[in-house]
Amino acid sequence: MKIPMTEYLRIDLETEKWECRVCDHEIAPAEGNYKEGLLVHNRDPREIHPPILDPERYRFTFSPDPEWVRILEFCCPKCGTQVETEYAIPGHPPLWDMQVDLPALKAQWAARGTEALPDAGPAVIPGRGHSH
Amino acid sequence: MNEMTIRGKLPSAEEITLIKKFLDDTTLFLGPDPEIMQNHDIMPRTAIEDAAIAQVSDAHTVAKIRDRIQAGCDEGYEMVEQMGAAPGAKWGDVITGVYSASGDLAIASAGGVLIFSALVHHPIKFIIKNWMNDPTVGVKEGDGFIHNDSRYGNVHNTDQSMIIPIFHKGKLVCWVASTVHEGENGAIEPGGMPSMAESPSDEGLKMSPFKVVENYQIKRDILTFLQNSVREPKLQYEDMKVKLFACLRIKQRIEETLNSDGPEALMATLRLTMENVRAEVKRRISEWPDMTVRTYIIQDSTLRENCVVKINCKLTKTGDRLIFDFRGSSPEFTNRATNTIVAGLKGMLAQVFLCYVWPDLPRGQAAFAPIEVITDPHSIVNCSYDAPNSQSLMSIFTGFTAGQHAVAKFLYSCPEKFTKVHAPTFNMINTFIWGGVSQHGETLGNLCADLNGMGAGATANRDGEHALAPIFATMADIGEQELNEEEVPFLQLVSKKMTRDAIAPGKYRGGQGYTMMVATKDSEQWGFMTTAQGAKIPPIQGLFGGYACGTYPLSKVKNVDVYDVLMNQPEKFRHSIEEIMNEQPFEEASYSTHHMGMGFEISKRGELFMISQGAGAGYGDLLERDPVSVIKDIEEGLMSPEVAARLYKVVFDPKTLAIDFDATEAARAAERQARIARSVPYAEFIKGWNQPKPPAHLQYFGCWGDDVGTLYMGSADVTRRGDQPRPNYMMHPKDVRIAELEARLEAVGAMGNEKK
Ligand SMILES: [Zn+2]
C-alpha cells in the first residue's frame, strides 16, 4: 500500500520508502528524513520576492533580507519537482519536518484498508468518511 | 569571600500547617492564579451536572437547547456589533458566550473572535474561586463583572469583558460574557496595544475581574474611575452598556429555556456539548498518522528593533494524544511587549482547529481541551507576571502559524477531512493604529479595521483568497473606510488596491494583501503607529513546495502636503507605493522606509504613511501552476509580466498576453533540469550550510538546531537553559544609535575632551 503523505511524497508501506509521487523515484527510508534523499538549493529570497522599492535607495524594499533569511528549496533528484521549501536563518540546520512512526502507520492502514485510500490526499470528498 | 552555611532548625509538621494557614488567611494580593491560568481543560463534571444528565441526556433535546442557546449568543453578538462604539466592535472583533456554572465556555457565538471567549473562562474561574464566597464581594443575581488584564485570562488588555452570572430560583446555573476589542485603555501609547511598553505598568488599565454592575446597573463611581483612566471616556461607558445589554439579552434567551425545559436540561446541554466535543476531538486526532512534525516561525523584530526571535514548534501525535511542544522558543523579553501569557497561545491554537481544521464543531473551549501544550517557563510564549505583553499578538499569531503549518502535514493523508489542506494564512496586523484629537474635537485612540484583511493561504485545490479575513476571526469584516472617515481626521488616499508583486507563489498562490496610504487632514494633533513584524523576514512558511509571502515595510513621505498636490497638481499623485517611492513625484519631499514597528508618531497634514497587508502562503511547486491562472494574475494587477515570466516560466506575448503553451512546457521542463543542476545532495549541502551557533551578525533569540534546551539571548555567547529563567533586557534603540554615532565620532577624534 502506498500512502500519500504530502502533495509530492508518499510512503510505500511494503518497501518502507519515501517515494516521489510525480516520477515514482525512491527517495529515502520511510523512518528517516525524506529531505536526505532530495537535492537542496540555497535560494536568495530576493529572487522569489522581488524588490518593489528601489534597493539602491531604500533599506526596506518588500524583499526579505538575504543576510537574515534564505529559502532552502528541496527538489526530487529525478524529476526536479520542488517538494518542499524552508525559510531558514542562515546556517540553521534544516528541520526533520516529518518524522513518521512507521509501525503505527502500517497498523493504522491495515485496520483502515485500501478502501480508504482514494480519500487520502488533497480533497474533502463529500459523502465519504465524513458523517454527522 | 568564604562561603558561609547557616542552616536553621526545620519546622515541624504542626508548624508547617500553622504557617500555611497563616499564609492562606492573610493573602496580601490575589494575583493571577497559576492553577487557573495554566489549565485549559474543562472542569470535572460536578454532582449537580451528573444529576442533570441523569435526568436529561436525549440527543434531540440537547441539540434543540444547544441551538437555542447558540441563537441567543448570535443575537447578543449582533447587538454588540451593531451598537458597539469601538471600531473593533463594528467590524466583528467581538464575541459572546455561555459558560457552565464551573466557568467553562460551552457555546460561543458563531461570528466573532473565538479566542476572546475561549479565554474568559479564566476570569470566571477566578471570580468563582475568590469572590463567590468573599463577604466583601459575593456573586448575586444582577451582578456584572468587568475584566481586561491578560494575566488573569485574555489576549491583551485592550479587550474588555462583561461577565454576568445567571441564577435560577436562587441557584447559579451558568455564566454569560461578552468581549470586545475596545482599543483605548490608557496605556503609554493610544489605541491599547503599546509597543513602547517596557513593563506592565506602561500598559494602561489592568483590570483583574471585579464587580462593576449591581442590580443590572453600572456603578457610576467605578465607571467614572475607568473613564478617567482612558483616552476615550465616552466609548468606555457606551461599550460597557452595550456588552451588559447583550449579556442581558442572552440571559433572557436562557431564561426562556429554563422556563420551558428546566435548569437540568440547560446544565446537561452545556455539559454534554463540551464532553461530546472533547471526545470527538480525540477520535479525530486518532485518525491522524502517528508522527512528529517540526517547524519554526521567525519574528524579525520586537517592534522596537529588528532582531531574530524564534517560535519553535514540535507537534507530536501518538494515538489520540496531540502535543504542541514550543520549547526552544525565544526567552521572554523583560522590557519588550511582544511576550504572551501561555493561555493566549493556547487560545490562538484553538483557532487553528475551530476556524481552519474542524469548523463544523460547536465553538467552545472543549475542542482544544484534550490537546496538550508544553513551553519553557518565562519564554516568549509563556511569559511571567512581570513581563509586558501588550503586543502579545506578535507571539500568539506566529505561534498560530507554527501550529497551522505543522497541522497541515498531518492532515494530508487523512481519509477523513473537514476542510481542505491549507497553507498558512498571513498573520500580521498590517494596519494603522491612530490617535489624537479628531476634527470634532474628540480625543480618540483606535485602529483601522484593515487588520482584518489578511491574505488567505492557498489550499490543496485553489488559490488563497485576497484580503480575506484575520486568522483570529474568519467572519470579520474590513469595514467601510468612508464611514470611518466621518469620525477621524485622516483619509486613506489609496485603500484596498492590491500591492503588485508582493506575492506568495505556488501551484496555488497565496491570497494577496492590499495597499493603504493614509494622510492626516483636519487635525494638528493626530498620529499613527504600526505594530507588525515581517519587514526583513517573512512571518510565515510555505507548504509542500509553495513559497511564503515576502516582507512588508512602512514607507513615509514627509515635507509634503499631498492635499495641496491633489488640489493644485493632481497629475503628480500616484496610486501605488511602488510609483510614489521610486518616481518620487513630489519635489522637496523626503522619502524613507522603515520596519513595521513604528511607535506612535504625530503626523503633519498631508504627509503620507504607506503600508500593505500581507499575502497568505503558496501551496505546491509553482511550475505546476496553470499558465492561464498566471496570466489572470497579471491581468488583475497582482503580478508584473516580468516577474510572472521569470518565476513561473510561462511564455507569453507581452502585448496580448497570449500564452505559448508548448514553449511554456519546454521552459518548465528546462527549469526542472536547471533545478537539478544547481542543487546539491542533502548530505553535501549541510556540510557547507550547517553552523553550530547562530550567525554573529544577527541578534538571535531562541534555540539553535536540535538543542532545544539552550536558548540564545541575543548573541552566540549569551544563553540560558530553557527551564532556568534569566532576565533578558534590550537597550533602548535610541541608546544603541547614540552609541554607534559616538563610536564613529570617537574614531575620527571628534568627541572633544568630553568628561566621562
Ligand atoms: Zn520525482
Side-chain angles (χ1 to χ4, degrees), chain B residues 243-283:
Chain B
K243 282 178 285 194
L244 176 61
F245 281 100
C247 287
L248 292 178
R249 178 64 63 86
I250 299 169
K251 172 174 175 280
Q252 187 186 329
R253 298 300 176 226
I254 290 171
E255 281 167 349
E256 287 162 10
T257 295
L258 288 169
N259 293 331
S260 61
D261 296 78
E264 292 79 16
L266 176 80
M267 294 178 86
T269 297
L270 298 182
R271 185 69 206 176
L272 289 174
T273 295
M274 293 191 291
E275 288 184 5
N276 293 345
V277 168
R278 196 181 188 287
E280 171 65 4
V281 163
K282 285 191 91 68
R283 188 193 69 78

Side-chain angles (χ1 to χ4, degrees), chain B residues 38-84:
Chain B
Q38 294 286 329
N39 186 8
H40 65 280
D41 205 346
I42 55 177
M43 299 297 276
R45 196 196 271 196
T46 62
I48 297 171
E49 287 170 330
D50 232 359
I53 291 166
Q55 261 183 277
V56 182
S57 63
D58 166 58
H60 293 290
T61 307
V62 167
K64 178 192 78 181
I65 295 173
R66 184 170 61 231
D67 286 352
R68 282 175 74 174
I69 303 299
Q70 177 77 60
C73 288
D74 294 347
E75 196 179 343
Y77 169 84
E78 287 291 329
M79 283 174 70
V80 185
E81 198 182 33
Q82 297 298 325
M83 303 193 307

